[in-house]
Amino acid sequence: MLLADQARGLWDRALIAEGQAIVRRCLQRDQPGPYQIQAAIHAVHSDAPTAAATDWSQILQLYDQLLSLAQSPVVALNRAVTVAEVEEPQAALTLVEDLDLDGYHLFQAIRADLLRRLGRHAEAA
């Protein structure tokens, strides 16, 4: 199920608050590693009352940090998804096209979604 389609009212707010407190304590150490940054990304997602209210700019900054620590095509792909939200789908598609992830199913799904959002339905199919 897409994050945007989830019923956030059903999320366990107590567990989210606990997780966010752990993330804050980790970040206060000022020694961010890949796992701490990934947790911070999830904390930003879980803090938004709706998908539309997500602070995508903050998530993009976190992905920039993560990419500097853990350069991988999958992290770059996830960052591209965020670029689509902050900038536009075309900017994200340009980033996605440069990745070598042809056999990765999420790569194909994300690429197809970006093409769909650009009105390029035949290519998306």
Side-chain angles (χ1 to χ4, degrees):
M1 174 179 285
L2 297 176
L3 184 60
D5 296 335
Q6 293 183 18
R8 292 174 183 232
L10 299 176
W11 290 3
D12 188 324
R13 299 311 301 175
L15 285 177
I16 290 170
E18 180 183 348
Q20 288 178 341
I22 292 168
V23 169
R24 281 191 297 279
R25 283 195 306 271
C26 287
L27 294 177
Q28 287 172 348
R29 292 175 149 174
D30 200 25
Q31 296 175 327
Y35 295 116
Q36 290 85 358
I37 295 172
Q38 289 175 50
I41 291 168
H42 293 292
V44 174
H45 277 295
S46 67
D47 198 38
T50 65
T54 301
D55 187 347
W56 290 106
S57 294
Q58 185 178 6
I59 291 174
L60 182 58
Q61 290 174 351
L62 289 165
Y63 269 116
D64 288 342
Q65 279 188 294
L66 182 58
L67 200 54
S68 72
L69 292 175
Q71 293 184 9
S72 81
V74 173
V75 172
L77 179 64
N78 292 336
R79 182 186 177 278
V81 170
T82 305
V83 168
E85 299 300 325
V86 173
E87 296 178 24
E88 61 179 356
Q90 182 58 56
L93 183 61
T94 300
L95 295 171
V96 165
E97 297 290 358
D98 290 337
L99 298 175
D100 184 22
L101 287 168
D102 288 337
Y104 182 53
H105 70 286
L106 292 178
F107 168 78
Q108 300 299 339
I110 290 167
R111 184 176 178 276
D113 183 60
L114 292 170
L115 289 166
R116 179 197 58 80
R117 290 172 65 179
L118 291 167
R120 295 163 57 181
H121 300 287
E123 290 175 82

